[in-house]
Amino acid sequence: MVPTTEGELLLSYATRILALGETVATRLKERTVMGTVRVGLSEDVAVSALPAALGRLRRASPHVHMDITVDHGDALAERWHDGLLDVAIGVSLVFAADPVHTWNMPLYWVCGIDDEIDPALALDVIVYAEPCAWRRLMFDALLTAGRDFRVTVTSPNIGVIMAAVESGLGVALLPAENIRPDTMRVIALGPNGSPALSVNYGLFAVPRQTDSIRATVELLSESFHLMTQPRVGGLVRSDTPHPTPAPSR
């Protein structure tokens, strides 16, 4: 079996994440680390490599209890402000705190691989349930572009959003990490392309950190940094993505 170009890029990306997790895990094995780490992950990034990286960290340190919460950004921010989390990754805007690190995650307009977008018709869109920064960003961009649209699917779950795109139910905003090149394609809103869209995410950590919390912060920081890097030479680029023609019928 010969991997495609996109497959090779994804394999390289995954290998870097795995190597990073193993490096941190090795450091933890050198000493006994104990305690509980309460981690909050925004639902829209929790289907990425981050949970797998945390799993390797947990297996390397069986005395560490990983208490992971996955929820939408506003709920995570509320838990953070209530002192219920040690580490959190979420949309920076909803946290009333200073992040340890921040990243801009580029978002792309995507539809099903066989979908044909008719500019004369209202655009069917797939959106997150409120509250959601992506949803507001999408609506603002469509209004600015003067594009008529109608909501066809609303869900708080990114897995449902991705499945709806693959099923041809409409267009959604997705990060590169969640675009499946075999079943999705990047499109432009109009003949002049699409404005570059991104959401700023932050990693938040309590000031007083145990060894296990510091290791978790290091792993999540590096993993999320790699995850938000634009892919070059493949399906998705760092600049405004070029639309991919729909296959001939």
Side-chain angles (χ1 to χ4, degrees):
M1 180 180 295
V2 179
T4 63
T5 301
E6 290 79 11
E8 290 176 344
L9 287 170
L10 184 59
L11 178 60
S12 173
Y13 166 81
T15 301
R16 292 162 68 192
I17 292 288
L18 287 170
L20 175 66
E22 295 304 327
T23 298
V24 176
T26 299
R27 293 177 190 170
L28 288 177
K29 285 181 178 178
E30 295 173 353
R31 60 187 186 277
T32 301
V33 179
M34 304 178 67
T36 297
V37 183
R38 302 169 301 172
V39 180
L41 296 178
S42 183
E43 199 277 337
D44 41 29
V45 300
V47 297
S48 67
L50 300 185
L54 288 173
R56 290 192 302 278
L57 184 65
R58 172 65 183 84
R59 289 190 295 274
S61 301
H63 297 291
V64 174
H65 173 219
M66 303 295 294
D67 183 359
I68 302 172
T69 298
V70 177
D71 211 331
H72 62 80
D74 290 65
L76 278 184
E78 184 176 348
R79 292 180 66 85
W80 172 262
H81 297 146
D82 290 343
L84 301 178
L85 297 172
D86 300 310
V87 182
I89 287 183
V91 177
S92 301
L93 184 64
V94 300
F95 282 77
D98 294 327
V100 177
H101 299 289
T102 62
W103 304 266
N104 281 322
M105 177 182 285
L107 299 176
Y108 304 93
W109 299 92
V110 296
C111 67
I113 193 72
D114 294 323
D115 279 3
E116 295 182 1
I117 307 300
D118 188 341
L121 300 178
L123 186 67
D124 291 333
V125 296
I126 302 165
V127 300
Y128 262 104
E130 285 282 18
C132 175
W134 294 15
R135 176 189 179 108
R136 295 187 287 273
L137 192 66
M138 171 185 274
F139 288 172
D140 288 345
L142 289 169
L143 291 172
T144 300
R147 191 74 160 85
D148 291 334
F149 65 93
R150 58 188 180 186
V151 175
T152 56
V153 178
T154 301
S155 174
N157 184 282
I158 195 168
V160 173
I161 299 292
M162 294 167 64
V165 170
E166 292 175 313
S167 299
L169 294 177
V171 173
L173 277 180
L174 289 177
E177 169 72 9
N178 298 121
I179 298 175
R180 297 169 176 164
D182 292 338
T183 57
M184 304 176 185
R185 64 188 181 93
V186 176
I187 64 170
L189 283 182
N192 297 322
S194 302
L197 300 178
S198 65
V199 175
N200 187 267
Y201 282 80
L203 186 151
F204 302 85
V206 293
R208 300 181 63 179
Q209 299 177 11
T210 62
D211 286 344
S212 54
I213 292 176
R214 279 192 292 271
T216 303
V217 169
E218 179 183 354
L219 179 61
L220 285 178
S221 176
E222 293 298 328
S223 297
F224 200 68
H225 173 71
L226 291 176
M227 193 181 79
T228 54
Q229 292 304 294
R231 299 179 191 175
V232 294
L235 176 68
V236 179
R237 297 184 181 275
S238 58
D239 54 357
T240 302
H242 299 288
T244 303
S248 301
R249 294 185 181 275

